[in-house]
Amino acid sequence: MIRHSHETSESWKNLPWKKFRKDLFRLQKRVFKAIQAGDKRKARFLQKLILKSKSARFLAIRQVTQLNAGKKTAGIDGKKSLDFSERFELETLLKNESGNWKHQGLREIPIPKKDGTTRLLKIPTLADRAWQCLAKYALEPAHEATFHAYSFGFRTGRSAHDAQKTLFNNLRSNCNGIDKRVIELDIEKCFDRISHTSIMENLIAPKGIKLGIFRCLKAGTNPEFPEQGTPQGGVVSPLLANIALNGIESIHRYHVHRGYRITNKTPSTSIIEPSIRYADDMVIILRPQDDATEILGRIEEFLAARGMKVSEKKTKITAATDGFDFLGWHFKVQANGKFRCTPSVENFKKFRQKVKNIVNCSNYGSKEKAEKLAPIVRGWRNYHRFCKMEGSRFSLWHIQNRTWRVFNKETKLTRESTTRLIEKAFPAVSYSENRFDNVTGNKSPYDGDITYWSQRNSKLYDGATSKALKKQNHSCGHCGLKMMSNERVHLHHIDGNHDNWKSKNLLAIHESCHDYIHMGKRENP
């Protein structure tokens, strides 16, 4: 018998979410440590416990229905969301079928690429996404114990900024960056060509998860390549790509004198592996004596064994002094040997176009435009806050000036009021060139060092959020758990007034906790 929506809403809200998170993390930590100790049998037993865990099931459902960016995207069944009673029904289905999960078909959405072609985004149903998330909870800690330290994409606790700082550490003046070259590696149709065999052979998982992952892969295949491809749009797809590509970072390595320190936090070593990978994007750093042709040959062999190949059109060898683009940044070693990183031309053009589309839109007034601009500008400035951002171009002076003139024409506000609107639309974000702190070595959020990871997570935020986190000792102001990197931090205004930014009125909390606080105001969070 289905309960009334209000009762079901209260039942969902009152589930012991704090206990769920603690129980799941305890199991994941044990999986991670079992793989570190080389005990795969124990790890697979623990992964079975995660698959059968009530805590993991509810957290997986919450992740795909409340927290993920694509939570409102429908699969082939047309369902864009699940009401509370449907979430409880899905939990029962996962309980009964998780060890023998059968995937439905995928909804295909064509996405235009910058070269004029399209790629297919293949969207699973919400139920399939929940199972994939459950499987990911079991798979991720096992493979985190095996991943290379210089693999940064789609990994918990790591980000593009880690890759950015690693390039600085390898190309700055005291590392003779002026003499180095880079291979800008592009893998042709990586997600569409990954061999299913290579994924399954490298997967650390019990039979039930392996069977579900195999069916997941087969649900998204191209009929022309039935043994290849992982569906882009699946919750577990980025993890599977990382599993298939793991090890490519170690292909090129070179010896250095003992005592040489590649970063301030990397132990002295005689071997350096100067390859930085972010998912399927990769940069390989070469010294003058390194043979690029030989290195590319070994990379081609590695990829061929996994069903992939190097894109000859897009892969190129570039002198560090000529500069190259990577992850939305332009990296260059100047003639004086100094390393510089700035937003890439393409990244800045896309950002400027987003701003222009909002500013020139006739459907909104100036106040609405300012509200829409603020998160876009803040996000762009935050992403580039470890770049060199001096000058009117990257300080956005010209864009702000143009916006001020448009706002001034549209409204009858005073000059001071228009200026306040501009300040709201273009929030300031402090920047500090190359001051990001990399993750230490092979550390992982699953290693149990909660103090390290909560303090590191606090450093990823600035302004009022950073102050609130430090004041709260890096813990959530609602549930009390430490703030790890697996969930975004939100600022909650205690009195409900979003114009009141006094420190006493601000609470740093988990995104999910923020949802529960405001659940009464929304029928379906």
Side-chain angles (χ1 to χ4, degrees):
M1 182 177 176
I2 297 176
R3 293 165 283 185
H4 295 297
S5 61
H6 174 70
E7 292 174 348
T8 314
S9 166
E10 284 300 308
S11 299
W12 181 263
K13 180 181 177 182
N14 293 329
L15 285 170
W17 295 108
K18 182 176 179 179
K19 180 180 181 298
F20 287 168
R21 282 188 287 202
K22 281 185 173 181
D23 290 348
L24 175 60
F25 182 71
R26 192 180 299 114
L27 285 171
Q28 289 178 314
K29 185 170 64 173
R30 291 176 66 192
V31 171
F32 179 84
K33 291 188 174 180
I35 294 297
Q36 276 192 323
D39 193 345
K40 288 188 178 181
R41 183 177 179 181
K42 181 179 179 181
R44 285 192 285 265
F45 170 75
L46 292 167
Q47 286 174 314
K48 286 181 185 178
L49 293 183
I50 292 176
L51 202 64
K52 295 175 182 177
S53 165
K54 178 181 178 180
S55 299
R57 290 195 299 271
F58 274 113
L59 288 168
I61 294 167
R62 184 183 69 170
Q63 185 68 40
V64 300
T65 59
Q66 285 182 223
L67 303 179
N68 282 357
K71 61 188 175 185
K72 297 294 184 184
T73 306
I76 199 170
D77 59 356
K79 276 191 171 294
K80 290 186 176 181
S81 62
L82 300 180
D83 62 32
F84 295 107
S85 62
E86 288 173 322
R87 294 180 196 182
F88 281 104
E89 289 167 8
L90 177 54
E91 190 274 331
T92 303
L93 180 64
L94 287 173
K95 180 181 179 180
N96 296 331
E97 303 291 336
S98 61
N100 187 28
W101 191 262
K102 296 178 176 65
H103 274 72
Q104 298 182 54
L106 305 175
R107 178 182 167 218
E108 296 184 348
I109 303 174
I111 305 292
K113 296 173 73 174
K114 59 184 178 184
D115 60 2
T117 61
T118 59
R119 66 180 176 90
L120 285 178
L121 195 63
K122 299 180 179 181
I123 309 296
T125 63
L126 280 165
D128 286 339
R129 274 179 261 170
W131 183 87
Q132 287 185 29
C133 188
L134 180 60
K136 185 184 174 186
Y137 287 156
L139 291 171
E140 191 168 59
H143 288 279
E144 274 292 320
T146 69
F147 284 156
H148 194 281
Y150 281 6
S151 167
F152 300 114
F154 303 115
R155 289 184 61 190
T156 182
R158 282 169 166 76
S159 68
H161 291 121
D162 287 284
Q164 180 191 37
K165 184 60 178 282
T166 304
L167 278 168
F168 166 70
N169 287 334
N170 281 274
L171 294 175
R172 58 186 177 178
S173 56
N174 65 350
C175 292
N176 300 319
I178 196 167
D179 297 326
K180 294 180 179 178
R181 299 163 292 154
V182 299
I183 298 175
E184 299 177 65
L185 184 70
D186 186 270
I187 302 171
E188 191 173 306
K189 296 183 178 179
C190 174
F191 282 84
D192 296 331
R193 295 290 180 268
I194 296 174
S195 162
H196 293 171
T197 303
S198 69
I199 291 174
M200 299 309 296
E201 285 178 350
N202 289 293
L203 206 61
I204 303 170
K207 184 179 177 182
I209 294 178
K210 279 196 169 186
L211 182 61
I213 293 295
F214 184 74
R215 288 170 176 169
C216 165
L217 293 171
K218 293 305 177 186
T221 51
N222 184 331
E224 295 178 30
F225 303 95
E227 302 300 321
Q228 291 176 276
T230 177
Q232 296 186 55
V235 174
V236 78
S237 296
L239 174 61
L240 298 180
N242 273 339
I243 290 169
L245 290 171
N246 189 40
I248 194 172
E249 305 89 353
S250 301
I251 288 176
H252 174 48
R253 51 173 64 185
Y254 57 71
H255 291 262
V256 297
H257 296 296
R258 286 198 178 274
Y260 176 87
R261 299 177 78 84
I262 194 68
T263 73
N264 292 330
K265 293 189 177 181
T266 302
S268 299
T269 177
S270 61
I271 295 177
I272 299 298
E273 296 168 354
S275 303
I276 294 98
R277 182 170 69 85
Y278 191 92
D280 59 334
D281 289 328
M282 192 168 176
V283 168
I284 301 161
I285 299 168
L286 307 175
R287 300 170 303 168
Q289 64 266 41
D290 291 328
D291 186 340
T293 304
E294 191 241 334
I295 292 165
L296 279 171
R298 283 188 278 138
I299 287 172
E300 284 173 353
E301 287 178 16
F302 178 94
L303 292 175
R306 290 155 178 78
M308 297 170 279
K309 64 179 182 178
V310 172
S311 170
E312 293 181 7
K313 288 182 181 179
K314 296 179 182 178
T315 297
K316 52 189 176 182
I317 302 166
T318 310
T321 50
D322 290 337
F324 59 96
D325 289 351
F326 185 56
L327 302 178
W329 293 304
H330 182 72
F331 300 93
K332 186 175 183 178
V333 177
Q334 298 176 326
N336 60 5
K338 286 190 176 181
F339 175 89
R340 283 286 175 261
C341 174
T342 57
S344 69
V345 171
E346 184 183 342
N347 179 277
F348 184 73
K349 279 183 178 177
K350 284 182 179 178
F351 166 72
R352 186 175 59 185
Q353 190 58 50
K354 283 182 183 178
V355 173
K356 281 178 70 176
N357 290 343
I358 293 172
V359 172
N360 296 333
C361 182
S362 58
N363 296 334
Y364 308 117
S366 297
K367 289 183 180 179
E368 290 83 0
K369 288 179 182 180
E371 288 174 0
K372 289 183 176 294
L373 283 172
I376 294 172
V377 173
R378 186 183 293 107
W380 187 82
R381 280 180 159 162
N382 264 318
Y383 188 73
H384 297 296
R385 64 189 168 128
F386 301 108
C387 293
K388 185 175 178 61
M389 299 292 282
E390 295 169 355
S392 61
R393 179 184 180 84
F394 296 135
S395 70
L396 309 183
W397 186 90
H398 293 291
I399 297 176
Q400 284 179 249
N401 190 45
R402 158 73 181 159
T403 306
W404 192 94
R405 284 186 275 120
V406 171
F407 283 10
N408 203 37
K409 278 183 182 180
E410 289 180 347
T411 62
K412 296 179 181 179
L413 298 173
T414 63
R415 186 183 185 91
E416 290 76 16
S417 297
T418 307
T419 302
R420 280 198 296 271
L421 267 185
I422 293 297
E423 289 173 354
K424 184 176 181 179
F426 291 85
V429 172
S430 60
Y431 69 92
S432 50
E433 189 180 2
N434 300 322
R435 296 299 294 272
F436 181 80
D437 287 330
N438 274 56
V439 171
T440 303
N442 278 304
K443 283 194 71 63
S444 167
Y446 300 114
D447 62 15
D449 191 349
I450 294 174
T451 301
Y452 171 83
W453 286 103
S454 60
Q455 289 179 356
R456 174 179 169 74
N457 190 47
S458 296
K459 292 178 184 177
L460 303 181
Y461 297 88
D462 62 358
T465 307
S466 176
K467 289 177 184 176
L469 283 168
K470 288 175 184 175
K471 181 181 174 184
Q472 296 164 205
N473 194 26
H474 318 289
S475 301
C476 175
H478 180 71
C479 71
L481 289 178
K482 288 289 187 181
M483 290 289 201
M484 305 287 276
S485 57
N486 57 351
E487 194 173 330
R488 287 188 292 269
V489 176
H490 280 197
L491 260 188
H492 172 60
H493 293 73
I494 297 170
D495 67 358
N497 179 9
H498 284 221
D499 291 323
N500 180 3
W501 285 83
K502 292 180 180 178
S503 60
K504 290 182 179 179
N505 190 49
L506 300 175
L507 209 59
I509 58 177
H510 289 109
E511 180 184 6
S512 55
C513 291
H514 208 189
D515 265 352
Y516 299 136
I517 289 173
H518 293 287
M519 189 174 278
K521 300 176 183 178
R522 297 192 301 271
E523 184 181 53
N524 189 8

